[in-house]
Amino acid sequence: MKTDVEELTPTRVKLTVEVPFDELKPNLDKAYKEISQQVRIKGFRPGKVPAPLIDKYVGRGAVLQEAVNDALPELYGRAVEETEIFVLGQPDVEVTELEDGTQFAFTAEVDIRPKFEVPDYDGLEVVVDDAEVTDEQVEETLGNLRERFASLTGAERAAEEGDFVTIDMAAKIDGEEVEDASTTGYSYEVGSKSSVEGLDEAITGLAAGEETTFTGTLPGGEHAGEEAEITVTVQSVKVKNLPDLDDEFAQLASEFDTIEELREDVRTRLGRQVKAQQLSDARDKALEALLEKVDIPLPDKVVEEEVGRRNQQLEQQLQMAGMSKEDYLNEEEKSEEEFDAEVADAARLAVKGGFVLDQLAVQEELGVENEELSEYVVTQAMQMGVQPQQLAEYLTQNNQLPAIVSEVLRSKALNLVVEHVTVKDESGNEIDVDALQRELNGETVQAEDAEDAETAEDAESAEGADEAAPAEATEAAEDAAEEAPAAEAKDEQDAKDKDA
């Protein structure tokens, strides 16, 4: 087989492949066998029809077409492998020559990842926010916890901001009732501004049994955006009572006995959150800093597909939230043009980032072990709330494993970049990313004082005895951790074999 590569653009090539006709023999044999199973010729059982009769009654051309269709995927794959190009998406294939018994040739145009080298990334510096937890943040978190344990009691007075009211609403446009804008027994917090504009002002000052009518713009439904006459009737008014921040509340809302213990736990948890955010920002900014050093062309089709994927994802999220795209744009205070431009920029950045990390993985000769793949599947399964084996089978059956391998490789490549980047917080303190990651993973670093141990042999012996059991426990835990992914990998391979 002979393959020539023509560069149409830096991100698209045309492969011209010439194949000796003899190489199609296995495919021709397979085509005759399959057609023989399908045709019905008197005197011959299905699958036993000779090739000459198939040529006579079905046609040699149909057999050749069947053989070519069967051979093309493998031949294209071999051409890609021989030319060592990184293809993106499906090719546009055209058969250019098919001479029975002599020659077979085809062309394939396909997008490719541009050829480039990732520059040196040593010495890059990024700045992230300080890992600071303020008293205000702690009190705000405690306040949110109090809200969860609030109680409602009936009030014999008019509704005020912060009260919860049960209301009935009916909307009319030109005297006709709008059914999808009417409701009964609707619980609403006065002042939340989470419903029809003007509702808060209308019900403030109304007591149970009273009603009023106001003009408002319907936020959704068939008549979204239209003005309607809305009648609201207050059925009841309730006051929200928050528990006191005391030891009794701490015992009610947590496992702690005192409010100070609860407050300290909240501070610790918030501290972990801001440190996790630091780590996430460090990864994002390290990649951004690296991308600024790389200038490469991007395939338009690949960028368009990424834009489409992002728009589809947003559409699904808006549907789940019961919002329209127009509502979302109004909330974000963006025009359609501004939104489209932002999505396109983000898509180009994502595609470029993927290319750079893929190339870095090649340059650094990174690979993915079965244990790493299994660990990824287990982590994803835990986040999704499904069994790892179930997720592994789904990924295998839907041919998603190559995408997972690519994702794990890119993560390893980004980890490598972060290791070589200097990360500082806004106060100028350098952050040990590796130590931060271990801390967030719950690992502890135990430093032994060698000098003290050397001055007292008895102390050293005692220390060694004390460390023996934890060391054995740690080793056993590591063995268990290694066995679990290995078992998952074996199950995954079994699933592959089963599918095969």
Side-chain angles (χ1 to χ4, degrees):
M1 186 174 80
K2 177 185 176 183
T3 303
D4 292 326
V5 181
E6 177 186 355
E7 184 178 290
L8 303 177
T9 71
T11 61
R12 191 168 179 83
V13 297
K14 179 180 181 180
L15 300 176
T16 300
V17 184
E18 297 179 359
V19 184
F21 196 84
D22 290 344
E23 291 193 27
L24 289 179
K25 186 178 185 309
N27 308 99
L28 282 168
D29 293 341
K30 181 179 178 182
Y32 275 118
K33 183 176 181 180
E34 291 182 353
I35 293 175
S36 177
Q37 293 283 355
Q38 299 168 8
V39 299
R40 297 291 182 266
I41 297 178
K42 188 175 181 179
F44 295 93
R45 289 177 297 166
K48 301 297 183 180
V49 181
L53 286 181
I54 291 177
D55 289 343
K56 178 179 179 181
Y57 288 100
V58 178
R60 174 71 169 179
V63 178
L64 288 175
Q65 189 62 52
E66 181 80 17
V68 166
N69 290 340
D70 182 61
L72 273 174
E74 180 187 354
L75 294 173
Y76 169 72
R78 282 169 54 191
V80 168
E81 186 176 351
E82 288 175 6
T83 53
E84 297 182 342
I85 57 176
F86 194 112
V87 299
L88 306 167
Q90 295 300 315
D92 296 325
V93 177
E94 180 183 357
V95 176
T96 57
E97 186 179 359
L98 181 56
E99 296 183 10
D100 195 354
T102 305
Q103 181 95 343
F104 167 54
F106 67 93
T107 62
E109 291 188 17
V110 65
D111 288 326
I112 62 168
R113 192 180 67 196
K115 294 181 179 180
F116 65 99
E117 291 290 318
V118 177
D120 183 28
Y121 43 90
D122 275 328
L124 289 177
E125 184 173 311
V126 299
V127 179
V128 297
D129 292 337
D130 291 336
E132 178 184 8
V133 177
T134 65
D135 293 340
E136 290 76 13
Q137 290 173 313
V138 173
E139 295 309 314
E140 180 183 357
T141 303
L142 287 172
N144 292 336
L145 187 59
R146 289 176 72 200
E147 292 281 351
R148 291 173 52 189
F149 286 86
S151 60
L152 299 177
T153 57
E156 300 297 326
R157 59 165 175 76
E160 300 175 359
E161 184 171 340
D163 290 345
F164 279 79
V165 295
T166 302
I167 57 176
D168 298 338
M169 283 199 302
K172 291 183 178 180
I173 295 178
D174 297 331
E176 294 198 13
E177 186 169 345
V178 182
E179 292 186 6
D180 61 5
S182 301
T183 184
T184 59
Y186 177 46
S187 179
Y188 181 74
E189 182 179 6
V190 182
S192 65
K193 300 187 182 300
S194 59
S195 186
V196 182
E197 186 177 352
L199 177 62
D200 293 284
E201 293 79 4
I203 58 180
T204 299
L206 295 183
E210 296 180 340
E211 71 174 35
T212 190
T213 300
F214 66 98
T215 301
T217 303
L218 300 180
E222 184 180 350
H223 296 275
E226 297 183 34
E227 284 196 348
E229 274 196 354
I230 302 172
T231 300
V232 56
T233 304
V234 177
Q235 299 294 344
S236 65
V237 178
K238 294 182 179 180
V239 178
K240 179 170 62 177
N241 300 304
L242 296 174
D244 294 330
L245 277 177
D246 54 18
D247 293 347
E248 184 177 348
F249 172 71
Q251 295 165 18
L252 171 67
S254 71
E255 71 272 26
F256 301 104
D257 293 327
T258 68
I259 191 63
E260 287 309 315
E261 289 176 326
L262 174 57
R263 182 174 278 109
E264 188 58 33
D265 180 70
V266 168
R267 186 179 295 277
T268 300
R269 291 174 184 272
L270 288 176
R272 286 182 57 83
Q273 290 178 16
V274 296
K275 288 179 180 179
Q277 188 61 49
Q278 268 191 333
L279 185 60
S280 176
D281 289 347
R283 291 172 63 83
D284 292 343
K285 292 187 176 183
L287 179 57
E288 289 174 9
L290 178 59
L291 294 185
E292 288 178 0
K293 300 183 66 176
V294 180
D295 185 18
I296 55 175
L298 303 175
D300 292 337
K301 188 175 180 180
V302 176
V303 174
E304 289 170 5
E305 290 175 350
E306 179 64 17
V307 169
R309 187 191 68 80
R310 287 170 177 263
N311 282 327
Q312 184 179 20
Q313 187 178 48
L314 174 65
E315 184 179 340
Q316 293 173 346
Q317 292 172 345
L318 292 178
Q319 285 179 350
M320 293 177 62
M323 291 179 66
S324 67
K325 187 175 180 180
E326 184 179 0
D327 294 334
Y328 170 76
L329 293 177
N330 289 335
E331 188 175 291
E332 295 292 316
E333 298 181 349
K334 294 177 184 176
S335 67
E336 186 88 24
E337 293 73 18
E338 290 172 332
F339 172 78
D340 289 342
E342 287 184 5
V343 171
D345 289 342
R348 281 191 288 270
L349 193 63
V351 171
K352 181 179 179 181
F355 287 172
V356 170
L357 292 178
D358 287 341
Q359 178 60 26
L360 182 59
V362 172
Q363 287 179 212
E364 300 293 344
E365 299 181 351
L366 301 179
V368 177
E369 303 293 335
N370 283 340
E371 290 79 4
E372 294 171 320
L373 193 59
S374 297
E375 183 179 350
Y376 177 90
V377 172
V378 170
T379 301
Q380 293 297 310
M382 290 176 61
Q383 293 177 357
M384 297 169 63
V386 300
Q387 291 297 320
Q389 178 62 22
Q390 181 183 352
L391 179 58
E393 289 176 357
Y394 172 83
L395 294 172
T396 302
Q397 293 168 2
N398 290 273
N399 197 31
Q400 293 295 309
L401 286 179
I404 300 302
V405 170
S406 176
E407 192 166 339
V408 174
L409 261 181
R410 288 178 177 180
S411 180
K412 292 182 69 173
L414 182 53
N415 289 341
L416 190 62
V417 175
V418 175
E419 289 175 9
H420 290 77
V421 168
T422 299
V423 181
K424 294 183 178 180
D425 62 23
E426 290 185 333
S427 298
N429 303 307
E430 189 168 334
I431 298 173
D432 186 336
V433 174
D434 186 52
L436 180 58
Q437 180 68 71
R438 292 199 305 271
E439 178 184 344
L440 292 173
N441 288 342
E443 301 175 18
T444 59
V445 180
Q446 296 180 347
E448 302 295 340
D449 190 337
E451 293 182 1
D452 290 345
E454 289 175 357
T455 57
E457 291 184 2
D458 292 343
E460 182 177 355
S461 300
E463 183 180 338
D466 291 340
E467 288 181 346
E472 292 173 1
T474 301
E475 184 177 350
E478 289 176 350
D479 289 343
E482 291 176 358
E483 289 172 4
E488 294 297 339
K490 181 179 182 302
D491 292 340
E492 185 177 312
Q493 185 60 52
D494 290 344
K496 288 182 182 178
D497 295 340
K498 180 180 179 182
D499 290 340

